Amino acid sequence: MKISGVDIRPGNIIEYEGGIWRAVKIQHTQPGKGGAYMQVELKNLRDGRKNNVRFRSAETVERVRLDTKDFQFLFAEGDGLVFMDKDTYDQVTLPRDLLGDAAAFLQDGMDVVMELYEDEAISVQLPDTVEATIVEADAVVKGQTASSSYKPAVLDNGVRVMVPPHIASGTRIVVDVYEGTYVRRAD
């Protein structure tokens, strides 16, 4: 489906210069002279390259629809992550860097959504939040409560997050996977 260059929104998947790209950030600019344009930061979904491109309103790009399929994470094997198709039970191994920082939050048996382009895995979407246990939390420094202060803590998967002062080691918390931030205490 063709769309105008100024209609690109963050999260859109487009075909550009023979590659499949995700729009990460956009900025609409209207200079004093000349026509308006859209400054778009693109990330290549195959190799992870980033590119900044200007699209004028007269330009069109091909918007790509990705197929989505439910998969289950099985285990990590070296730099590869093994997923199983929940319908056919076929196993797929993907490189860890395809998921970026979110790979640290994968848990055995976790349900994920895989995005496919022409039967090739392009990206994996984890749940927005996961539960994790704090294994190490710094002590609260007395007198640091003038403003809402957070303290560093380490989760059972090795990720460092900032948590409120009342959270102690051994506490289960809910963490935002893509922001890497504390959401709330787990029930």
Side-chain angles (χ1 to χ4, degrees), residues 29-140:
T29 306
Q30 198 160 1
K33 284 166 65 173
Y37 61 87
M38 186 71 76
Q39 182 77 29
V40 182
E41 182 180 316
L42 298 173
K43 182 176 182 187
N44 189 307
L45 293 177
R46 288 202 170 107
D47 59 23
R49 286 181 298 140
K50 287 194 173 181
N51 194 358
N52 280 312
V53 184
R54 285 184 178 178
F55 291 103
R56 302 211 174 274
S57 58
E59 295 179 73
T60 60
V61 291
E62 186 70 30
R63 185 167 174 201
V64 176
R65 290 265 182 234
L66 296 179
D67 298 324
T68 58
K69 216 166 183 199
D70 292 333
F71 275 74
Q72 184 176 38
F73 174 66
L74 296 179
F75 55 89
E77 188 175 62
D79 277 348
L81 302 170
V82 180
F83 297 89
M84 178 185 69
D85 186 328
K86 291 178 77 173
D87 296 331
T88 63
Y89 303 110
D90 290 339
Q91 291 185 5
V92 177
T93 303
L94 299 176
R96 180 180 293 272
D97 55 345
L98 184 70
L99 275 75
D101 295 338
F105 291 100
L106 278 172
Q107 298 166 350
D108 291 350
M110 177 182 275
D111 291 336
V112 298
V113 175
M114 196 169 292
E115 293 177 326
L116 306 162
Y117 177 68
E118 295 177 352
D119 292 330
E120 177 190 349
I122 294 293
S123 71
V124 177
Q125 292 182 337
L126 276 64
D128 291 336
T129 59
V130 296
E131 285 189 14
T133 305
I134 297 204
V135 293
E136 182 184 320
D138 291 356
V140 178

